[in-house]
Amino acid sequence: MYYWGKKENKTLDQKIAYELYIQARAKISQFAEIPIEDILDVLDRTGKLWQPTGEFYLQAMKELPQEISFSPEMIKISLDIIPKILNKHTLYARIESEILQPQLLDSKQNSSRFLGELKTYPVGVVSHITAGNVFLGFLDSLIMAIITKNISMVKLSGQNHIFPELFMKSLLKTDKKKILTPYFCLLTWKGGTKEIENIVKEKSHLIMAWGGDEMLKSYKNELPQSTKLVDYGPKVSLQIITKSGFSHYNLDVIGRKIAQDIILWDQSACASPQNLFLEAGLPINKIMEATARALQKTKFKRGNVDADEQVEILKEIHRGKTNIAKKQGEILIGKEYLLHYESKRGLRNSPLHRSLIIKTYKNLNDLREQLIPYEYYLQSASILYDTKEEKKLEILLANIGIKRIAPLGTIMFGTNGAPHDHRFALNELLRFIPWERTHEPIDLAVEAYTKHPFYKNKYKKMPKNFDLIPVLDSKELVNFKPLSNYSGHVFASGGTTGKAKYSYYSTEEFRLATKMLAHNFRLNGLERGNTIANLFVAGNLWSSFLAIEKAMEFCGARQLSISGLADKDLIIQYLVEFRPDYLLGIPTLIIDLADEMKKRKIKLKLKGIFFAGEKFPNFALNDVMQVFQTKKIMSASYATVDAGPIGYQCPHSRPNEHHVFGEYIFLENCKGEAVITTKYRLVQPLVRLKTGDAISPLEESPCPCGSIDPRFILLGRTDDQINIWGSRLKLDEFEMAISSFPSVKQYQIELKEKKSKELLTLKLETNSSINKDKLIQEIYLSLKDFKSTHPQSYLKDVLQVELLKTGELKRVKRTGKLKKIVDLRK
């Protein structure tokens, strides 16, 4: 026995057991603070000591045959597993598959499941009542508790002492810093000792019990409500071969697959098949003969069979001979195996030790009737089938109690991260504690101020009234630095003319942001299985392509990950070949693409187009809808790189109208500009950030879609305005004038000074000539502020129109966008 890493020779009695459990409870919080990385490092180093040339491996190969019945070959294959199951990367994969974020074991993490943070805590003291059928069983149970930071009290099987002793010695050799060994005990006591078992029940937080019915009943009896029992009781597993599945393989392959399932651990594991069910009409004798040949050829010898087990095998042989006499069965007897076909229906236990009972079934309903009486005891099924039968088999097996399904011949190999006995065991050993986030803006501001130097430097003293907190200009984010290392993303905005601003998202924050985007897409008609073409631009620390890709995963879409800066010929080739349902991208690229496809007389029929990153100019809508034969051009949501998603559209939204993502964003209308405070961003909280977007007043009334999130109209950028000639000129006014000239595809306004005179050049991409005088007249009529103070003749003197071919206006290389205003004035 080992108490907290020290070997003890004292016999465990009631007094010692009580003291040990009191000590165990006192150690809970201490072990919970040890970093998971340190824990896995110790296990990984220990696993390396169990390489085939290592001292512990060689000693185990020498001593284990004295204690267990497995053959040396079977012991070797068991020992070969140890370095793998203790490997750090294997353990990380196991943790990730069950709790998604290994970081939860160490610290609170922002959650994408709800608004707040999440952390796991150990359940506390875990008692392991281990079985002796597979000597590695105790190790798997202990590892699960160690990596979830629980204090373990391990009752060893009476027939399994040598391996635990050797493992403990190897662990002590690697655990020099006492990271693991002070937090578990290896104990022995005689099963049924009530005085000790009562202490186990009363002082454990959880009992993980592996074994037979009687043992499990003793622990269930009078179990306190404060103690949870996770039981892994006796189970029966089976094999199934359908006629269609049989038709795809030759007999020797099938025989080998059947044999592989019953060879390992001499059928002593719960997943070891005891019965083989063959669909009626299959050649039973030939299948038995092929299986016998495979069993004779195996390099894994059967272990020792004691007198009682030999009696059970003899009983089965006698039953088989009786069935032959009655013409109700067949039997094949080998030196180390027994194959018995009997016509009597229904599952039953075999004597194990490579004894396989073979049954037949007429159809799946008949198979169900034969298995359903044993529903509670069923565990694994390895099956040989045709894929066309998969759905029916899945429904049948899952609904009669089968807890694991694997291909024939693989049932004993297992898969790291798969649930055991229909549950993820690590989840049983953890408590998931949510730290829910506040919805009050002032609380968000206080938290940002107290945690981040950026806000302390900005505020100097934290205002107690939220309305008095100064707004944050996005340019100030240049100076923001996250507090520490984190797993996630860094994105950039700006940087074309000055220093770039960086936006920081943890993995879960980005995941949550993309779930918000997915909500927008689903509301507007995108369905699971739709094909989408992602034409947002990838790379250069831009977020849109990645965000769309992740959002589409949540939508269940089939993705064409093209990117808008791909070769135009290639983009068109992909669109024609795959015929997507939806196109997603920035307006500039979509308009350019539509123009090129129109030239080539190529049309697609889309369900819709989603855009973001720019306003979609009204004058381009008709052309784009005609080329792509769609009536729906919709917002992919209102979002910015700095802030993430802010608003979404529903089917009832008017053009440019959005709902606020109210659960995650607090939106203010400050003098006509959208100002946001994020509720879910912890790595980079944003408090009263000016977005630079003009919005209409918020409308609080419920929407016909049922949402109570406030609505607003996105009016464009606050800087989509030109101050020139003592007037305010708006881009919308230019676009209104340009809409009278359908051949215009894109535009850009360039501002210059020449001899103290301000000049404006309107550059147009068009495939045909236009009447410049008429255009200038339309522009004059649209410019409300200018028209009220200046004659049209003045405009003709200071405004020039320059015609360019499609694609000649310079796009922003990083994003593919077209800068609408280029101000070259000093």
Side-chain angles (χ1 to χ4, degrees), residues 609-641:
I609 294 171
F610 288 99
F611 70 91
E614 302 172 312
K615 182 182 175 185
F616 212 112
N618 289 327
F619 64 78
L621 288 173
N622 286 336
D623 252 11
V624 172
M625 286 193 288
Q626 284 178 15
V627 171
F628 293 110
Q629 299 183 71
T630 184
K631 295 180 179 178
K632 295 172 69 177
I633 296 182
M634 305 156 287
S635 169
S637 82
Y638 166 40
T640 71
V641 178

Side-chain angles (χ1 to χ4, degrees), residues 574-722:
Y574 291 147
L575 296 182
V576 170
E577 185 172 348
F578 291 100
R579 299 280 166 177
D581 299 296
Y582 291 92
L583 205 63
L584 287 75
I586 63 171
T588 296
L589 293 173
I590 292 171
I591 293 167
D592 289 350
L593 185 62
D595 185 57
E596 183 63 28
M597 292 176 68
K598 187 176 181 180
K599 288 178 187 175
R600 302 186 192 188
K601 298 182 179 179
I602 297 172
K603 288 189 176 182
L604 289 176
K605 190 168 186 179
L606 300 177
K607 293 182 178 179
I609 294 171
F610 288 99
F611 70 91
E614 302 172 312
K615 182 182 175 185
F616 212 112
N618 289 327
F619 64 78
L621 288 173
N622 286 336
D623 252 11
V624 172
M625 286 193 288
Q626 284 178 15
V627 171
F628 293 110
Q629 299 183 71
T630 184
K631 295 180 179 178
K632 295 172 69 177
I633 296 182
M634 305 156 287
S635 169
S637 82
Y638 166 40
T640 71
V641 178
D642 296 331
I646 299 170
Y648 63 93
Q649 287 195 321
C650 75
H652 301 278
S653 298
R654 294 165 288 174
N656 299 319
E657 182 182 38
H658 293 77
H659 291 273
V660 182
F661 280 111
E663 187 176 356
Y664 307 106
I665 296 290
F666 177 67
L667 176 66
E668 300 172 85
N669 185 334
C670 295
K671 299 179 181 179
E673 181 175 358
V675 173
I676 65 99
T677 299
T678 55
K679 299 179 182 180
Y680 71 101
R681 298 276 296 279
L682 299 179
V683 173
Q684 185 181 32
L686 300 173
V687 179
R688 303 203 80 194
L689 174 71
K690 293 170 65 176
T691 63
D693 293 310
I695 61 172
S696 66
L698 294 168
E699 186 177 338
E700 299 285 350
S701 59
C703 177
C705 75
S707 172
I708 60 171
D709 288 327
R711 291 171 287 163
F712 61 95
I713 304 288
L714 192 59
L715 300 174
R717 297 290 297 170
T718 55
D719 53 6
D720 283 353
Q721 175 178 289
I722 302 163

Side-chain angles (χ1 to χ4, degrees), residues 441-443 445 463-470 666 668 677 687-688:
I442 186 62
D443 295 331
K464 295 184 178 180
N465 188 323
F466 185 77
D467 294 337
L468 298 178
I469 295 174
F666 177 67
E668 300 172 85
T677 299
V687 179
R688 303 203 80 194

Side-chain angles (χ1 to χ4, degrees), residues 501-513:
K501 307 189 304 292
Y502 296 112
S503 296
Y504 306 93
Y505 290 79
S506 72
T507 300
E508 286 302 298
E509 287 169 356
F510 188 64
R511 180 181 170 89
L512 180 52

Side-chain angles (χ1 to χ4, degrees), residues 131-151:
N133 56 338
V134 179
F135 70 87
L136 289 183
F138 109 91
L139 181 58
D140 186 52
S141 191
L142 176 60
I143 288 171
M144 286 192 288
I146 285 176
I147 63 178
T148 49
K149 304 186 182 182
N150 285 281
I151 306 300

Side-chain angles (χ1 to χ4, degrees), residues 43-189:
L43 293 173
D44 189 70
R45 291 197 301 272
T46 305
K48 287 180 169 63
L49 295 182
W50 284 86
Q51 299 293 338
T53 56
E55 60 173 306
F56 297 103
Y57 186 101
L58 295 174
Q59 191 173 350
M61 285 297 301
K62 180 181 178 181
E63 296 182 9
L64 281 175
Q66 304 167 24
E67 183 176 68
I68 62 177
S69 63
F70 289 164
S71 67
E73 294 84 1
M74 197 62 63
I75 293 173
K76 182 180 185 304
I77 198 173
S78 302
L79 295 176
D80 288 343
I81 296 172
I82 296 174
K84 182 179 179 181
I85 62 176
L86 293 176
N87 178 269
K88 179 194 292 190
H89 304 296
T90 303
L91 291 171
Y92 260 129
R94 184 173 188 175
I95 294 168
E96 286 173 343
S97 69
E98 298 200 31
I99 67 171
L100 302 181
Q101 291 177 271
Q103 302 94 324
L104 291 174
L105 296 165
D106 287 341
S107 59
K108 299 196 299 294
Q109 298 294 315
N110 208 7
S111 174
S112 62
R113 306 178 189 186
F114 63 93
L115 186 59
E117 295 172 277
L118 187 67
K119 188 180 184 307
T120 62
Y121 295 83
V123 295
V125 178
V126 176
S127 292
H128 307 254
I129 313 302
T130 64
N133 56 338
V134 179
F135 70 87
L136 289 183
F138 109 91
L139 181 58
D140 186 52
S141 191
L142 176 60
I143 288 171
M144 286 192 288
I146 285 176
I147 63 178
T148 49
K149 304 186 182 182
N150 285 281
I151 306 300
S152 288
M153 312 295 280
V154 185
K155 179 187 182 298
L156 300 175
S157 166
Q159 55 188 349
N160 187 4
H161 282 185
I162 291 175
F163 176 70
E165 175 84 18
L166 288 172
F167 175 76
M168 195 67 202
K169 288 179 179 179
S170 69
L171 185 58
L172 286 167
K173 193 169 184 177
T174 58
D175 192 19
K176 300 297 185 184
K177 294 182 180 180
K178 307 298 181 186
I179 289 171
L180 302 184
T181 49
Y183 300 107
F184 68 89
C185 294
L186 301 184
L187 309 172
T188 59
W189 69 82

